[in-house]
Amino acid sequence: MTSKLIENTIRPDVRALASYHVPDASGYIKLDAMENPYPLPDRLRTELAMRLADAVLNRYPIPTYGTLKQKIRANLGVPEGFDVILGNGSDEIISIVATAVARSDRRAVIMAPVPAFVMFARSAQMAGCDFVGVPLGADFSLDREAMLAAIAQHKPAALFLAYPNNPTGNLFDEADMEAIIEALGDTGIAVVDEAYGPFAQASFMDRLPRYPNLVVMRTLSKLGLAGIRLGYLAASPALLEQLDKVRPPYNVNVLTQVAAEFALDHIAVLNAQADALNAARGELAASLATLPGVTVFPSRANFLLVRVPDADHACAQLLADKIMIKNMSKMHGLLANCIRVTVSTPEENSAFVEALRGALETR
Ligand SMILES: *Cc1c(COP(=O)(O)O)cnc(C)c1O
């Protein structure tokens, strides 16, 4: 009965999918998800608790979120005349964009250079769009000619560029990105995903006035608030008006709103943590580079992509040592034997380096 029901109701491409597997990390050093290892200082946590106690839980959220949006615009450099839409994480915003461009008269195309953040392709599929991935060059730079040719051929309605890119960690060349944004013109929305902006200290935000088809997406997740789920997208009012029709009403809850406003009032604390992680990234990269057979790729994010002699063996050994990282080696040909590790505290980074050293020796 159940299998017939599933077969008769759930679409075939969903039935064929594997679930997005999130492993249970209790008891592990968790270096797989680009989380900030540092909690808010005690003083701020106590103050936040009081603010949360005052949150109005019996009412629906105020749908405009004027105060929160104003703080985002002010703190994060959204240009005059532009506004933001909020999402339950930027994952939801990716899905809102995909849903907004999906159409019933023909299949819309969503494009990204690959390897890319998995949710670009996943959201495209769920919305009923075709996803076209254009391979990066061997050094993970944009293949400008291939991208421009793919844009001319497929006319994508939306194109995602993560800046810095996940899982490769690099910033794409600005001129390449501008050529792509210009080539899309008025046939495609260019989404620059700056999830790692706090670490890269580079942004396309100030280019919003120059390109009417450009939108810039950010999130509080990698900065230290992955648990509250808040992402936002800055764009022209005309585009936001359309995207807002697709956004589920009340998609950002009041506890998130209160916590986010509080965090933005104390953004200097989070930025200082990001600076510390940036410094730690340099030290971690230098330590890893001394290990035999290990290649560390340049990163402007809070993670490192690392090529090892045998990624499966390394991940198995690290897991046995209670360290969780991400094995990227099956994701794309360019990522053969690559692992991705989040930059964490000096102690956790050292534990990782020592465990990886051990894994390399037992091979
Ligand atoms: C982590 C990540 C996101 C997801 O952010 P959330 O706001 O936590 O949903 C989006 N884009 C990229 C490139 C990421 O790596």
Side-chain angles (χ1 to χ4, degrees), residues 33-34 88-92 94 117 119-120 162-166 193-196 217-222 226 229-232 303 340:
M34 283 79 86
N88 187 349
S90 40
D91 283 353
E92 185 182 47
I94 297 167
F117 184 47
M119 292 311 290
F120 300 156
Y163 186 75
N165 191 41
N166 174 14
D193 177 353
E194 299 185 348
Y196 301 97
M217 194 166 64
R218 288 269 185 113
T219 174
L220 291 179
S221 294
K222 311 293 158 51
R229 312 300 302 129
L230 185 75
Y232 67 92
F303 62 85
R340 189 191 63 198

Side-chain angles (χ1 to χ4, degrees), residues 29-354:
I29 294 181
K30 194 168 183 315
L31 305 177
D32 63 334
M34 283 79 86
E35 291 143 329
N36 174 349
Y38 298 109
L40 284 176
D42 281 346
R43 170 181 63 85
L44 293 187
R45 287 163 59 159
T46 308
E47 208 180 312
L48 173 59
M50 280 154 62
R51 292 241 210 138
L52 288 170
D54 285 339
V56 180
L57 299 184
N58 58 317
R59 303 285 179 200
Y60 283 102
I62 302 161
T64 51
Y65 278 139
T67 307
L68 177 53
K69 287 183 180 179
Q70 191 276 327
K71 284 184 198 291
I72 288 173
R73 285 196 304 270
N75 267 300
L76 301 145
V78 178
E80 195 68 40
F82 290 79
D83 204 348
V84 293
I85 188 177
L86 307 179
N88 187 349
S90 40
D91 283 353
E92 185 182 47
I93 295 180
I94 297 167
S95 145
I96 288 173
V97 171
T99 306
V101 301
R103 45 199 307 152
S104 50
D105 54 341
R106 59 178 167 81
R107 304 271 294 179
V109 169
I110 290 183
M111 188 175 283
V114 288
F117 184 47
V118 291
M119 292 311 290
F120 300 156
R122 176 62 73 96
S123 294
Q125 181 192 346
M126 287 304 165
C129 299
D130 287 331
F131 179 80
V132 175
V134 180
L136 293 170
D139 61 353
F140 304 140
S141 64
L142 287 168
D143 184 340
R144 190 200 284 215
E145 294 319 310
M147 290 292 289
L148 296 180
I151 289 168
Q153 183 188 346
H154 297 284
K155 297 264 181 300
L159 188 150
F160 287 89
L161 293 165
Y163 186 75
N165 191 41
N166 174 14
T168 56
N170 57 312
L171 284 174
F172 296 136
D173 180 77
E174 292 176 22
D176 287 346
M177 288 177 58
E178 288 175 348
I180 288 165
I181 297 166
E182 280 166 21
L184 288 167
D186 60 8
T187 65
I189 300 169
V191 185
V192 175
D193 177 353
E194 299 185 348
Y196 301 97
F199 305 97
Q201 302 293 338
S203 177
F204 267 60
M205 197 70 89
D206 61 5
R207 288 180 180 79
L208 280 174
R210 222 192 304 163
Y211 301 108
N213 62 330
L214 172 64
V215 302
V216 176
M217 194 166 64
R218 288 269 185 113
T219 174
L220 291 179
S221 294
K222 311 293 158 51
L223 189 56
L225 298 168
I228 75 170
R229 312 300 302 129
L230 185 75
Y232 67 92
L233 177 129
S236 68
L239 255 177
L240 288 181
E241 185 189 343
Q242 302 305 322
L243 295 177
D244 206 45
K245 297 175 193 172
V246 178
R247 182 182 60 84
Y250 313 121
N251 62 330
V252 173
N253 73 75
V254 289
L255 296 174
T256 294
Q257 175 220 337
V258 170
E261 287 181 10
F262 182 79
L264 290 168
D265 287 342
H266 300 279
I267 194 86
V269 173
L270 296 173
N271 284 334
Q273 293 177 346
D275 290 345
L277 291 168
N278 266 348
R281 179 184 65 218
E283 288 165 26
L284 176 59
S287 308
L288 290 171
T290 65
L291 299 180
V294 168
T295 307
V296 185
F297 294 98
S299 169
R300 294 288 295 271
N302 65 338
F303 62 85
L304 288 171
L305 185 72
V306 181
R307 177 164 286 135
V308 296
D310 183 344
D312 291 348
H313 174 76
C315 287
Q317 284 299 115
L318 286 161
L319 215 53
D321 286 338
K322 296 279 182 207
I323 297 177
M324 212 175 261
I325 57 162
K326 188 101 174 170
N327 187 350
M328 308 307 294
S329 51
K330 305 287 185 297
M331 187 184 180
H332 192 274
L334 287 170
L335 301 179
N337 278 319
C338 285
I339 59 176
R340 189 191 63 198
V341 59
T342 309
V343 178
S344 185
T345 60
E347 296 72 30
E348 293 193 348
N349 295 339
S350 299
F352 166 70
V353 173
E354 289 321 307

